[in-house]
Amino acid sequence: MPDTQVPDVQVPDAQVPDVQVIGPREVPLGGIRAMTVRRTLPHRDRSFVGAWCFVDHYGPDHVGSGSGGMDVAPHPHTGLQTVSWLFDGEIEHRDSGGAHGLVRPGEVNLMTAGAGIAHSEVSTPATRTLHGVQLWVALPADALGAPRGFEHWAVPVDELPGGAGTARVFVGTLPGLGSSPVTVHTPLVGAQLDLVPGARMQVPVDPTHEHALLVDRGRVQFEGVSLERGDLGCVEAGAAELRIVAAGDAPVRALLLGGAPFEEEIVMWWNFVGRSHEDIATARADWEAGSARFGVVPGYAGPVTRIPAPALPGVRLRPRGRRGRH
Ligand code: MN
């Protein structure tokens, strides 16, 4: 598509990918403290960007004494990795693999569920503002039985060329920029980009990956398409660089997510990822029975010890693939 606002980065039309813009929907998380998130994935028309299968964006939320913030009691996961990334605030993580740590801005925490894990997440008493994302990565079939894991890494800040801003690569590799050591099971990238007002970037990317840009603040032109705060703009594989322009007079903060197209179909329900309705029904029954499959979260001090699973719907859960449900 032609882009008259950024003539210096025009490329022939044939090389310009279309952008699928997914606007966020507000979802109350429930739990002990009320918290609402902006969810873009999964969406009716799109299940994945690479193996990224879940994108919740929240805040900035004011956290007063005893009000607001996050207090999620122990709950299970299967078949996925969670990636916690904060812009502001601090969250205390505990899981049944024995990990206990703090999630802080600029430091990635990646938890691998494998066959089963349970964890709790609570914003710390010192937190005044909570602002970040919760991302899930679908595990491929050969990693569904992976052992429980938890990795933490303080991400270095890379300078972008031309004084455009900075990048923090928290998962995978951005060509010519940073690389993250955390374990993933399919080719994947995740990075925070901070751009100065008016910056015009051509970000080098792996052309075998599809990508999405999630805008946290500022206004962005992504491949010539305007994105507002909370929008997820998605492009197919094929491009070796992505054109990102900080279009307003304010700085831009955005997350670039990408990966090799994930060709498996998954069934995703509540906190579980599996391959069939039966996988999910079994995981639910195991959690409700207190099975060792999920283990015990030590040290969680909240008023309830676990979050019960909701009832399964009265119909069979359907698999979803790259283009949505079937
Ligand atoms: Mn969780």
Side-chain angles (χ1 to χ4, degrees):
M1 62 204 64
D3 182 351
T4 53
Q5 292 184 44
V6 281
D8 54 331
V9 291
Q10 279 226 336
V11 292
D13 280 357
Q15 294 177 28
V16 180
D18 288 323
V19 180
Q20 177 190 21
V21 180
I22 297 177
R25 59 188 193 279
E26 305 255 327
V27 179
L29 277 194
I32 296 154
R33 303 176 195 166
M35 184 170 162
T36 299
V37 300
R38 295 177 292 276
R39 185 165 298 165
T40 43
L41 283 187
H43 183 270
R44 186 189 57 209
D45 300 325
R46 185 168 199 121
S47 302
F48 311 113
V49 174
W52 299 102
C53 64
F54 184 91
V55 176
D56 269 1
H57 178 215
Y58 54 87
D61 291 333
H62 177 69
V63 182
S65 51
S67 72
M70 181 183 284
D71 189 341
V72 185
H75 61 279
H77 289 288
T78 62
L80 58 83
Q81 294 176 299
T82 62
V83 174
S84 301
W85 183 254
L86 287 178
F87 305 122
D88 203 352
E90 192 177 57
I91 294 171
E92 186 173 22
H93 164 99
R94 298 172 186 273
D95 71 45
S96 59
H100 175 215
L102 292 175
V103 186
R104 296 192 186 95
E107 302 179 8
V108 67
N109 283 40
L110 176 142
M111 182 181 78
T112 302
I117 198 168
H119 73 143
S120 63
E121 300 160 285
V122 182
S123 49
T124 62
T127 296
R128 290 290 165 264
T129 303
L130 196 58
H131 188 184
V133 292
Q134 167 81 209
L135 310 169
W136 295 357
V137 176
L139 289 172
D142 62 6
L144 288 173
R148 295 170 189 158
F150 184 79
E151 294 166 63
H152 167 265
W153 189 55
V155 180
V157 181
D158 302 309
E159 295 292 329
L160 293 168
T166 58
R168 292 170 167 84
V169 183
F170 54 84
V171 168
T173 298
L174 215 45
L177 292 169
S179 198
S180 167
V182 302
T183 306
V184 289
H185 297 268
T186 54
L188 210 63
V189 68
Q192 176 178 325
L193 302 176
D194 287 272
L195 303 179
V196 300
R200 294 165 179 233
M201 276 297 299
Q202 297 188 64
V203 179
V205 293
D206 185 328
T208 67
H209 288 190
E210 53 193 14
H211 290 91
L213 195 72
L214 175 72
V215 179
D216 175 61
R217 68 177 178 202
R219 279 200 305 119
V220 177
Q221 289 262 318
F222 181 48
E223 289 294 331
V225 171
S226 291
L227 300 180
E228 303 287 334
R229 173 172 171 268
D231 285 343
L232 187 74
C234 308
V235 296
E236 302 307 311
E241 347 185 85
L242 297 172
R243 295 179 301 151
I244 303 175
V245 178
D249 50 14
V252 161
R253 180 161 58 199
L255 294 190
L256 181 64
L257 304 176
F262 191 79
E263 302 290 358
E264 296 182 42
E265 296 198 337
I266 66 172
V267 177
M268 192 166 151
W269 178 81
W270 194 43
N271 292 308
F272 303 132
V273 169
R275 291 299 182 274
S276 66
H277 176 93
E278 285 70 26
D279 286 352
I280 301 298
T282 300
R284 182 191 179 282
D286 288 347
W287 173 248
E288 290 303 288
S291 162
R293 171 178 182 177
F294 294 106
V296 173
V297 180
Y300 175 75
V304 299
T305 56
R306 62 188 286 283
I307 298 177
L312 279 169
V315 295
R316 283 182 64 78
L317 298 165
R318 288 180 294 163
R320 50 168 60 244
R322 293 191 59 218
R323 291 286 169 257
R325 278 217 174 81
H326 297 267

